[in-house]
């Protein structure tokens, strides 16, 4: 515990730092003119700890999230040196205080109540508390204070790297690839070619490697699969084979990809020589429960058809599946 002049100086420093933090939370970044004045803004679903490795064109967001974390580390470092407190009471008081700040931000229209901000702020304070607990002796001496700062920096680096690595795994990790012709359908039927013959689209040689949607399927065809939040991405290819375009062929063909009643992606090709380019697609499916694919061919010649090939679903990895379950339990879709 700090005593005497050091204690008084620490209280003054903590008060000034708290005031500066509140200034940025309520008045900084031109909040009064940048935010709407009418509706209450809030986000009550926990989406994860927003700490990421820098990169991907999100430098401003990265700096903001890092600041949201680092700004609260000093509270965990300094408060236990001024007030004798165990971790649980410290954590509960901090949670109550930061929740109150978030509520005031919301009702004053100077910010939003965001459960993810509360989590990242609390993580920063927790790391600060843990860092000061690692230094048991001489914490009030200049050398001890240097040790406190060093332990805070090391623990911050460890926690930040661990959380960032976990987020990268959840965002970019890949599960197994499933061929669509091997999966059971929820509704409808699909005919798949037993032999993966090659063909050309706009004179480009196509060699299906996984599956081939048969030209014997109806011109207007729809089928659905259950996903149950287990899949991360749909991928495949679409086109009109050159040998399916005849003299009377004209019109168009399209694929419409929907999930849970919402259209996610669509592709359209004109049925005409030189305009039937092969198209590839990748459609994110995180957390979706049901996938529907509609294939529609509108051509004057009934022999004209479109095909899909190498249709696959990428499974979410174990962490992504667990995160999706937690997201639904905490109120997300």
């Amino acid at each position: 515990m700090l005593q005497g002049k050091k204690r008084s100086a620490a209280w003054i420093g903590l008060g000034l730092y708290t005031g500066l933090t509140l200034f940025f939370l309520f008045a900084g970044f031109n909040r009064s003119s940048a935010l709407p004045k009418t509706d209450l803004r809030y986000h009550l679903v926990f989406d994860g700890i927003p700490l990421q490795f820098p990169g991907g064109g999100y430098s401003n967001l990265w700096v903001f999230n890092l600041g949201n974390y680092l700004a609260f580390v000093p509270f965990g470092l300094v408060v236990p040196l001024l007030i004798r407190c165990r971790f649980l009471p410290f954590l509960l008081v901090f949670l109550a205080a930061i929740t109150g700040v978030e509520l005031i931000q919301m009702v004053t229209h100077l910010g939003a109540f965001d459960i993810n901000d509360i989590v990242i702020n609390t993580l920063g304070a927790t790391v600060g508390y843990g860092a000061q607990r690692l230094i048991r002796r001489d914490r009030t001496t200049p050398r001890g204070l240097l040790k406190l700062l060093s332990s805070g920096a090391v623990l911050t680096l460890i926690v930040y790297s661990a959380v960032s690595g976990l987020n990268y795994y959840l965002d970019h990790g890949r599960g197994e690839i499933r061929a669509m012709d091997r999966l059971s359908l929820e509704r409808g039927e699909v005919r798949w070619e037993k032999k993966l013959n090659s063909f050309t689209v706009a004179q480009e040689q196509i060699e299906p490697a996984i599956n081939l949607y048969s030209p014997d399927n109806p011109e207007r065809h729809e089928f659905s699969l259950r996903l149950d939040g287990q899949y991360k991405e749909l991928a495949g290819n679409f086109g009109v084979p050159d040998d399916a375009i005849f003299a009377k062929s004209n019109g168009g063909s399209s694929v419409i990809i929907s999930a849970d009643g919402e259209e996610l992606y669509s592709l359209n090709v004109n049925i005409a020589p030189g305009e039937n380019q092969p198209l590839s697609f990748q459609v994110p499916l995180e957390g979706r429960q049901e996938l529907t694919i509609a294939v529609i061919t509108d051509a004057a010649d009934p022999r004209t058809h479109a095909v899909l090939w190498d249709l696959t679903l990428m499974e979410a990895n174990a962490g992504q599946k667990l995160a999706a379950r937690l997201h639904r339990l905490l109120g997300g879709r």
Side-chain angles (χ1 to χ4, degrees):
M1 296 284 292
L2 293 172
Q3 301 294 334
K5 293 182 178 179
K6 292 180 180 178
R7 181 181 178 86
S8 299
W11 272 115
I12 293 172
L14 181 62
L16 291 174
Y17 184 79
T18 302
L20 182 63
T21 302
L22 291 174
F23 169 79
F24 281 110
L25 288 174
F26 289 100
F29 309 108
N30 200 26
R31 288 178 183 269
S32 60
S33 60
L35 295 174
K37 303 293 185 182
T38 54
D39 298 328
L40 296 179
R41 300 170 64 238
Y42 53 87
H43 184 80
L44 302 179
V45 178
F46 177 60
D47 296 321
I49 301 173
L51 290 179
Q52 300 281 3
F53 293 121
Y58 297 100
S59 58
N60 291 338
L61 183 61
W62 171 72
V63 170
F64 177 80
N65 287 333
L66 179 62
N68 239 355
Y69 166 78
L70 292 178
F72 293 88
V73 172
F75 291 100
L77 281 172
V78 176
V79 170
L81 298 179
L82 296 171
I83 304 172
R84 194 179 302 277
C85 57
R86 295 184 179 276
F87 174 67
L88 186 57
F90 168 81
L91 181 64
L92 292 176
V93 171
F94 182 86
L95 275 172
I98 198 62
T99 300
V101 168
E102 291 284 320
L103 286 170
I104 294 172
Q105 279 187 314
M106 179 180 67
V107 299
T108 59
H109 304 288
L110 294 174
F113 182 90
D114 193 331
I115 192 69
N116 298 299
D117 284 348
I118 293 175
V119 171
I120 194 173
N121 298 158
T122 304
L123 178 63
T126 300
V127 167
Y129 186 96
Q132 62 83 27
R133 295 298 291 174
L134 293 176
I135 308 301
R136 306 295 295 180
R137 297 180 179 179
D138 302 324
R139 294 189 296 179
T140 61
T141 65
R143 184 179 180 182
L145 292 175
L146 182 60
K147 288 182 178 179
L148 280 174
L149 293 175
S150 299
S151 66
V154 170
L155 194 55
T156 289
L157 182 61
I158 292 172
V159 171
Y160 187 87
S161 298
V163 172
S164 298
L166 177 60
N167 285 338
Y168 186 88
Y169 167 73
L170 294 176
D171 290 341
H172 304 287
R174 298 166 61 93
E176 293 187 26
I177 303 295
R178 303 289 188 184
M180 188 170 289
D181 57 315
R182 304 296 182 185
L183 301 175
S184 300
L185 298 181
E186 178 76 6
R187 293 195 304 273
E189 296 182 358
V190 180
R191 296 180 182 178
W192 301 96
E193 290 289 271
K194 295 181 179 179
K195 188 175 181 181
L196 301 181
N197 293 319
S198 63
F199 54 93
T200 62
V201 177
Q203 306 305 314
E204 179 182 335
Q205 188 72 21
I206 305 297
E207 300 282 352
I210 300 174
N211 51 42
L212 177 60
Y213 177 91
S214 174
D216 295 331
N217 284 291
E219 292 182 355
R220 294 180 176 270
H221 184 215
E222 183 175 295
F223 57 97
S224 300
L225 302 89
R226 288 295 303 173
L227 300 179
D228 294 323
Q230 301 297 298
Y231 293 94
K232 182 179 178 66
E233 183 181 84
L234 166 70
N237 305 277
F238 171 63
V240 179
D242 291 334
D243 61 7
I245 299 179
F246 304 96
K248 295 182 180 180
S249 295
N250 58 62
S253 188
S254 61
V255 171
I256 301 173
I257 299 167
S258 305
D260 301 339
E262 175 188 358
E263 182 177 323
L264 302 181
Y265 199 77
S266 64
L267 304 100
N268 301 276
V269 295
N270 291 324
I271 301 175
E275 297 185 25
N276 59 321
Q277 301 295 325
L279 302 175
S280 298
F281 55 88
Q282 291 179 308
V283 184
L285 298 172
E286 288 91 342
R288 302 290 183 167
Q289 300 300 301
E290 184 176 273
L291 171 69
T292 300
I293 298 177
V295 184
I296 302 171
T297 300
D298 184 11
D301 194 310
R303 296 173 295 174
T304 302
H305 59 266
V307 294
L308 300 159
W309 65 95
D310 294 346
L311 279 177
T312 59
L313 285 166
M314 181 197 300
E315 277 194 320
N317 60 37
Q320 291 161 348
K321 291 178 182 178
L322 177 60
R325 293 192 191 100
L326 290 175
H327 185 74
R328 290 195 296 272
L329 286 173
L330 295 173
R333 293 183 177 182

